[in-house]
Amino acid sequence: MMLRVFLVLFLVALASSSFHRVPKLSDPLGLGLGWELHELQVEDYVKGSVWPKPQLESQTGAVFKLTPQNFKFVITGPSCDVLEEAIQRYKRLTFPDNVGESKKNLSEITQLSIIVIDKYEKLTLESDESYKLDVLTPTSILVAYTVWGALRGLESFSQIVHQDPDGFYFANGTHIDDYPRFHHRGFMIDTSRHYLNVSVILQFLDAMSYSKFNVLHWHVVDDQSFPFVSKTFPQLSDEGAINNKTHIYTQDDVEKILEYARLRGIRVIPEFDTPGHTFSWRSITNLLTPCYSHGKPTGSLGPINPTIESNYEFLTDFFKEIAERFPDKYVHLGGDEVPFNCWQSNPGITEFMMGMGYGTNYSLLEQYYEQKLLKIVGSLDKEYIIWQEVVDNGVEVLPDTVVNVWKSPWKNEIAKVTGLGLKAILSSCWYLNYISYGNDWHKYYQCDPQDFVGTDKQKELVMGGTGCMWGEFVDATNVLPRTWPRALAVGERLWSNKYVTDLNDADKRLWEHRCRYIRRGIPAEPGVQSQYCRHEWYY
């Protein structure tokens, strides 16, 4: 009871504007509380700017000093392993250098009090990530409904704290009331075209957390290799991995990645793409379609053969394992770029088509496969994401299907998908594996997932977006610098208010945030022309 009273008093005292999900608390007890706040002014030289830009950010005009030895993070209210671990992590991130106290005659912040109102619940698409942060002296205060909001607030606090050229720590008096615009803020990595070491994936998760991404879309396997070690079907990686001793993800590896992501507020959605992109699945007898030419087998294999009933038994057993190994509600089932020519050449499939009354409409064969697969995965208490081609080919999908839009013109596509009443995730604008000279992140920054002709109801069906780094020319040597800081543009577009579009402001803040990445051990390439970062020499 006392804890609840204490929390209410804190909330009343701090509320100068609302959380995303609660009404404004204006001073209900008549205590005369209030703020005299000034809008943030971005100057040529920024220090302590926040990325992605908060929904509401105001500065009091005060400047405070901090000393690592004098400062502590204090949890008030419910705690959990995520928050305890985050405090240890943010001690290092906020104070990378153990310097003494500045001699400047400034008030000192000695504590950040962290108040999480709700008990721990696992991160989901619907989780509340809002937070309020007040940078005050001697005690700054962070309030969030969930631990996931607290993580986002800790990241913002770590960015507001900055160092002068002598290494001393300072912070501008700031009030932030923040929440994400979209619930799905993802980034995709491809571990089939080139294998990525677990250590690199963990670094990538760190980099994502520094810009408040919350979904790792893991494109685990493809034609080129099958690095995922299945307990049920070990032959998949034994015969499908580039190297079945070194270029694989064991059960322990997967668990390590999932736990590392959880502690950073990141969901992991695996993608096992079928029926195409499955050559590396060839160890499963009769799974893939034998291709023919002039009535004779060519020796090559095409997509999964939808006409063999035992293949659905395999898929049921395989995705049952995936559902157990990956705790998130969603699985990405791919479905893109299915080549019909091999199906068309196979006499057994032709006979099946005629028997089903499909004629020569191979989209109906694709629909037959997809509907059976979606029912299999749905029976495992999972929901599913597919690439847009499934819908483009006229396949009638189940109403809870989420469509990942990746082709252009994307505005027409996302209008079509949402017009069918289906949820959508946008990737088209954000294929960061394509590179060019200069500030190409500007075009990513200017892409808005709701910038299409449609009703308000259609736009509400847009869950968010996913940036992509495909692996044809990307491996562990370049996946981090090629992605960062360019992916910051995606992160801000998915988090911040849709009216946050000032590229001059973004240039200055991205410059500072890229420097933080360098300081935190992420080899992010320059994102703003000829602007120097203090710690560049580390690389």
Side-chain angles (χ1 to χ4, degrees):
M1 180 65 180
M2 289 300 296
L3 176 59
R4 280 288 173 185
V5 172
F6 179 75
L7 291 178
V8 168
L9 289 175
F10 256 120
L11 286 169
V12 171
L14 292 175
S16 59
S17 61
S18 66
F19 273 104
H20 188 37
R21 72 180 201 190
V22 296
K24 182 175 181 179
L25 300 174
S26 58
D27 189 13
L29 301 183
L31 301 178
L33 301 171
W35 287 88
E36 293 183 2
L37 301 173
H38 307 283
E39 291 301 316
L40 177 65
Q41 298 296 318
V42 178
E43 300 175 351
D44 289 340
Y45 183 66
V46 291
K47 276 290 187 181
S49 63
V50 178
W51 192 288
K53 197 173 185 68
Q55 300 291 335
L56 185 152
E57 179 183 18
S58 301
Q59 290 194 352
T60 64
V63 178
F64 308 120
K65 63 183 179 181
L66 302 90
T67 308
Q69 299 91 326
N70 300 341
F71 186 88
K72 58 184 178 180
F73 294 87
V74 176
I75 300 172
T76 304
S79 188
C80 61
D81 62 336
V82 174
L83 190 55
E84 298 283 353
E85 199 279 343
I87 284 176
Q88 297 306 313
R89 187 167 71 250
Y90 276 99
K91 283 179 181 178
R92 300 188 298 271
L93 294 174
T94 308
F95 302 108
D97 299 317
N98 192 21
V99 298
E101 181 179 346
S102 168
K103 301 303 181 184
K104 290 187 178 180
N105 186 24
L106 297 172
S107 298
E108 184 171 357
I109 301 174
T110 58
Q111 179 174 306
L112 176 65
S113 181
I114 304 163
I115 305 168
V116 176
I117 297 172
D118 295 340
K119 292 182 179 179
Y120 173 85
E121 292 184 0
K122 73 175 185 178
L123 183 65
T124 68
L125 176 67
E126 295 81 19
S127 291
D128 188 324
E129 296 176 88
S130 64
Y131 68 94
K132 293 169 77 77
L133 175 64
D134 288 282
V135 180
L136 307 165
T137 184
T139 299
S140 295
I141 303 174
L142 169 62
V143 182
Y145 279 101
T146 69
V147 66
W148 314 117
L151 289 184
R152 310 312 173 209
L154 281 167
E155 176 59 40
S156 292
F157 180 78
S158 75
Q159 296 179 21
I160 290 170
V161 176
H162 57 273
Q163 291 176 275
D164 70 1
D166 295 320
F168 295 115
Y169 293 98
F170 300 93
N172 298 320
T174 306
H175 170 76
I176 288 176
D177 190 347
D178 202 10
Y179 53 87
R181 180 182 172 198
F182 294 103
H183 289 293
H184 182 106
R185 306 181 307 282
F187 207 93
M188 190 216 76
I189 57 171
D190 173 5
T191 57
S192 176
R193 273 78 177 212
H194 282 100
Y195 176 81
L196 298 176
N197 295 329
V198 172
S199 61
V200 172
I201 295 176
L202 300 186
Q203 269 194 296
F204 202 95
L205 288 166
D206 279 330
M208 290 176 63
S209 71
Y210 301 155
S211 294
K212 302 185 176 75
F213 283 92
N214 67 351
V215 177
L216 177 69
H217 172 170
W218 187 2
H219 187 86
V220 189
V221 305
D222 210 296
D223 282 327
Q224 289 77 8
S225 72
F226 199 107
F228 176 81
V229 178
S230 168
K231 294 184 294 182
T232 313
F233 301 99
Q235 66 268 41
L236 283 165
S237 58
D238 283 346
E239 298 182 37
I242 296 170
N243 184 308
N244 61 18
K245 297 292 190 294
T246 59
H247 289 57
I248 55 174
Y249 300 105
T250 66
Q251 183 175 353
D252 287 345
D253 291 333
V254 172
E255 289 179 356
K256 185 175 184 179
I257 290 166
L258 292 173
E259 178 64 2
Y260 200 87
R262 182 185 74 90
L263 291 171
R264 285 151 183 78
I266 297 173
R267 299 159 48 214
V268 178
I269 297 179
E271 180 186 353
F272 290 90
D273 192 356
T274 70
H277 291 279
T278 48
F279 182 70
S280 65
W281 304 51
R282 60 191 178 276
S283 61
I284 304 300
T285 304
N286 296 326
L287 181 67
L288 303 186
T289 305
C291 304
Y292 281 67
S293 178
H294 303 291
K296 296 181 180 180
T298 64
S300 61
L301 297 170
I304 288 177
N305 190 332
T307 70
I308 298 177
E309 195 61 29
S310 63
N311 286 342
Y312 297 104
E313 296 173 7
F314 158 75
L315 290 168
T316 299
D317 291 340
F318 177 75
F319 279 103
K320 181 179 180 181
E321 178 182 352
I322 297 307
E324 293 171 351
R325 297 276 292 277
F326 292 89
D328 196 74
K329 181 179 180 180
Y330 285 93
V331 177
H332 202 303
L333 300 176
D336 62 314
E337 299 177 326
V338 181
F340 289 168
N341 57 326
C342 185
W343 283 350
Q344 291 167 339
S345 75
N346 186 288
I349 289 183
T350 300
E351 182 179 352
F352 179 87
M353 295 278 289
M354 295 304 165
M356 295 292 289
Y358 292 166
T360 59
N361 186 349
Y362 285 85
S363 291
L364 291 177
L365 181 62
E366 182 183 17
Q367 177 173 288
Y368 176 83
Y369 173 84
E370 290 292 347
Q371 288 183 347
K372 289 176 78 72
L373 178 63
L374 296 184
K375 288 177 181 177
I376 288 170
V377 175
S379 72
L380 300 171
D381 198 27
K382 292 287 185 181
E383 297 189 27
Y384 23 76
I385 305 169
I386 56 172
W387 295 110
Q388 71 177 74
E389 281 94 329
V390 179
V391 174
D392 289 347
N393 291 341
V395 172
E396 186 176 334
V397 297
L398 301 181
D400 55 352
T401 303
V402 179
V403 180
N404 200 162
V405 174
W406 71 278
K407 288 186 172 182
S408 293
W410 70 263
K411 294 184 181 183
N412 294 341
E413 183 71 24
I414 208 164
K416 178 179 76 174
V417 167
T418 55
L420 294 171
L422 300 173
K423 293 180 180 179
I425 294 169
L426 180 64
S427 290
S428 304
C429 313
W430 299 316
Y431 269 45
L432 272 63
N433 47 292
Y434 293 111
I435 57 175
S436 59
Y437 189 78
N439 292 350
D440 64 349
W441 64 268
H442 282 184
K443 65 184 178 185
Y444 307 138
Y445 193 81
Q446 293 170 314
C447 175
D448 190 311
Q450 292 181 329
D451 184 19
F452 64 93
V453 178
T455 64
D456 290 343
K457 185 176 180 180
Q458 282 179 265
K459 295 186 179 184
E460 289 173 1
L461 290 171
V462 179
M463 292 165 54
T466 298
C468 298
M469 184 55 70
W470 293 99
E472 290 89 346
F473 297 94
V474 176
D475 64 10
T477 67
N478 64 346
V479 66
L480 288 165
R482 184 166 292 188
T483 304
W484 310 98
R486 297 157 73 234
L488 302 187
V490 185
E492 181 148 298
R493 184 54 49 233
L494 294 174
W495 179 281
S496 302
N497 189 287
K498 67 179 180 179
Y499 298 112
V500 175
T501 57
D502 186 341
L503 281 170
N504 290 326
D505 173 44
D507 276 342
K508 295 161 187 171
R509 290 183 298 106
L510 184 134
W511 164 32
E512 184 178 17
H513 202 38
R514 181 258 173 170
C515 293
R516 292 189 193 105
Y517 273 64
I518 294 293
R519 187 68 180 90
R520 295 175 177 187
I522 305 297
E525 66 184 21
V528 180
Q529 182 179 354
S530 304
Q531 294 292 350
Y532 172 72
C533 280
R534 180 181 173 196
H535 297 97
E536 286 176 7
W537 62 77
Y538 284 9
Y539 297 91

